[in-house]
Amino acid sequence: MDKKLKIAILIRDYDFSGGGSQKYCVELTNRLSEIHDVHVYAQNIVTPFDKITFHKIPRLFTKPRFLNQLIFSRLTRKVVEQGRYDIVHSHDTVTHADVYTLHVDCVKTKWTNKKGLAKFLYFLDTLLSPRMLSYLWLEHKKLKPSFKKKLIVVSGYLERNILASYPKTKPYLSTAQPGINIGNSLNKEQHKAVRYGFRKEHTIPKDAYVLLFIAHDFKRKGIHTIIKALEILNNDDIYLIVAGKDNPKKVTFGSNIVQTNTLFLGPVANMDDIYPGADTLIHPTLNDTYGMVVVESMIHQLSVIVSNKEYCGVSEYINKDEAVILDDPRDAINLSKSIDFLHTNIEHRDSIAKNGFKKAKTYTWEHTLAQTLKAYQESIDA
């Protein structure tokens, strides 16, 4: 692509420390701005970059969220139409982009997966819900097939989810998995210094076995199963570090040992300061279209326990030599066995971490950028 494009990027929260979709958007958009004229339209701009022109879209209110989504779609439609952009690329649910990067399951999935009376009752419930009707309308506009429109998904998991509800989108779909910042990997001495510094700061014994859990939705990502598994083991040598925006009060404990050994950090701006302090990422998610934290943990040389590909998109691209893959992430007994196995078999834990590190190095943002630019060219040529 020789021509320098004028590109509009749409996302409500431009925030590297946000969820996976926000981090993906920031990483990709910063790279786009190195070669093209990029304008970001967002309600919340937390991670500015000097090569990008930012435009603040007003957030009139935060709740109800569906009204804010509708207003964001309407306001951005108005301004991008005036801007005469070569490409309008959205990471959010709006009605008017040329290219969409899709990060989450379809709203329609809940309807598609139901059968018989349950499907009919859900249909009636949807008709009585302004929230659901709004989201379905926006989704329908976003996924309505068009020769110029290109849809980028982050995993095969998400592609299958979309095709189950919107089969006509197949000719317009392509995949661009998230990349990884390989430069974030520390050398042995740096890793050791950060590791023991973190443990000293949080009063964790330097030889303890430390699990890391990262989520902005504790329940959906499996924290209750983790707590049950740890209570089965009830081992005071095992610690759990929890990083994310959710409320710790939602988590209940039946063991004083587990409660004492669980540390809630809240949102963490720079996870590079946290990863080295742990031994294993634990990610028994019930629904994750990709799971960037899995690959990020691997590049930091952590072993990983993760749900299988039916629950977590990234698991489609890794094997049992690179992670412990759970048959059922809701099974606390099986999870406790996986935790105990890695705790007591350090050699195997290190082998998994080493293999995971090799795999993580194959995921690059340059590849993500190339796939995105290909979608841009196809949209322009259509």
Side-chain angles (χ1 to χ4, degrees), residues 125-140:
D125 188 52
T126 300
L127 289 178
L128 298 174
S129 170
R131 179 180 67 87
M132 286 298 297
L133 288 173
S134 297
Y135 284 141
L136 282 170
W137 179 77
L138 284 167
E139 182 174 274
H140 172 75

Side-chain angles (χ1 to χ4, degrees), residues 82-368:
Q82 296 171 350
R84 298 180 183 177
Y85 292 98
D86 297 300
I87 289 288
V88 177
H89 180 180
S90 181
H91 292 262
D92 227 311
T93 301
V94 298
T95 61
H96 48 277
D98 305 306
V99 176
Y100 292 87
T101 297
L102 308 176
H103 299 274
V104 298
D105 291 345
C106 291
V107 176
K108 193 177 177 182
T109 298
K110 293 181 181 179
W111 189 17
T112 305
N113 290 344
K114 288 180 170 54
K115 296 181 180 180
L117 181 60
K119 189 167 189 172
F120 176 72
L121 292 174
Y122 190 76
F123 173 73
L124 291 180
D125 188 52
T126 300
L127 289 178
L128 298 174
S129 170
R131 179 180 67 87
M132 286 298 297
L133 288 173
S134 297
Y135 284 141
L136 282 170
W137 179 77
L138 284 167
E139 182 174 274
H140 172 75
K141 298 290 283 186
K142 177 174 71 173
L143 297 178
K144 184 178 180 179
S146 163
F147 287 112
K148 187 174 176 60
K149 185 183 294 182
K150 300 302 170 185
L151 305 171
I152 301 171
V153 295
V154 298
S155 67
Y157 170 104
L158 185 54
E159 180 180 9
R160 291 188 292 274
N161 175 269
I162 291 168
L163 290 176
S165 294
Y166 298 93
K168 292 182 180 179
T169 62
K170 187 173 179 62
Y172 312 99
L173 285 172
S174 61
T175 303
Q177 295 171 237
I180 195 71
N181 291 318
I182 297 175
N184 289 349
S185 179
L186 303 176
N187 64 40
K188 190 173 182 180
E189 290 304 314
Q190 290 171 327
H191 187 278
K192 185 177 180 180
V194 174
R195 176 184 179 85
Y196 292 130
F198 174 84
R199 294 188 175 208
K200 183 178 180 180
E201 178 185 354
H202 296 289
T203 323
I204 299 172
K206 69 175 185 177
D207 294 324
Y209 179 52
V210 178
L211 301 169
L212 176 62
F213 173 75
I214 306 169
H216 295 316
D217 183 343
F218 290 169
K219 181 179 180 181
R220 183 166 62 89
K221 297 300 175 71
I223 196 168
H224 299 303
T225 306
I226 295 172
I227 297 302
K228 289 178 182 177
L230 292 176
E231 288 175 347
I232 291 170
L233 298 172
N234 210 35
N235 189 328
D236 61 7
D237 186 46
I238 301 176
Y239 285 72
L240 175 66
I241 305 299
V242 179
K245 293 180 181 178
D246 212 337
N247 187 356
K249 292 182 180 179
K250 294 180 180 179
V251 182
T252 58
F253 296 89
S255 162
N256 289 333
I257 289 176
V258 175
Q259 184 169 13
T260 299
N261 286 10
T262 300
L263 176 64
F264 292 92
L265 300 181
V268 176
N270 186 7
M271 284 301 301
D272 293 341
D273 296 333
I274 307 301
Y275 284 118
D279 298 293
T280 298
L281 177 84
I282 186 164
H283 196 65
T285 180
L286 299 176
N287 175 253
D288 209 329
T289 56
Y290 188 74
M292 287 177 67
V293 295
V294 172
V295 185
E296 288 176 356
S297 298
M298 288 176 170
I299 207 67
H300 283 279
Q301 303 176 58
L302 272 66
S303 56
V304 170
I305 300 173
V306 63
S307 306
N308 68 62
K309 66 181 183 181
E310 293 182 16
Y311 301 91
C312 187
V314 73
S315 295
E316 188 166 346
Y317 308 103
I318 58 180
N319 61 45
K320 61 181 179 61
D321 294 323
E322 298 157 345
V324 173
I325 301 175
L326 301 169
D327 291 332
D328 183 354
R330 297 161 297 188
D331 186 344
I333 294 175
N334 185 56
L335 181 58
S336 71
K337 292 177 180 177
S338 297
I339 294 169
D340 188 53
F341 178 76
L342 291 187
H343 175 217
T344 55
N345 291 270
I346 298 175
E347 185 175 335
H348 187 76
R349 186 206 311 168
D350 290 343
S351 175
I352 286 178
K354 183 179 179 180
N355 292 334
F357 177 67
K358 290 179 181 178
K359 173 57 70 71
K361 289 194 293 184
T362 67
Y363 297 101
T364 69
W365 285 112
E366 287 66 34
H367 176 73
T368 312

Side-chain angles (χ1 to χ4, degrees), residues 75-88:
L75 292 179
T76 53
R77 183 185 186 97
K78 185 176 180 180
V79 294
V80 299
E81 285 177 346
Q82 296 171 350
R84 298 180 183 177
Y85 292 98
D86 297 300
I87 289 288
V88 177

Side-chain angles (χ1 to χ4, degrees), residues 28-59:
L28 176 61
T29 304
N30 287 355
R31 285 166 172 78
L32 283 168
S33 71
E34 299 284 352
I35 50 179
H36 295 292
D37 178 16
V38 175
H39 295 247
V40 169
Y41 290 86
Q43 293 178 322
N44 185 33
I45 302 164
V46 179
T47 314
F49 190 62
D50 57 5
K51 294 186 178 181
I52 298 172
T53 303
F54 288 91
H55 306 267
K56 189 74 176 285
I57 299 296
R59 194 193 301 263

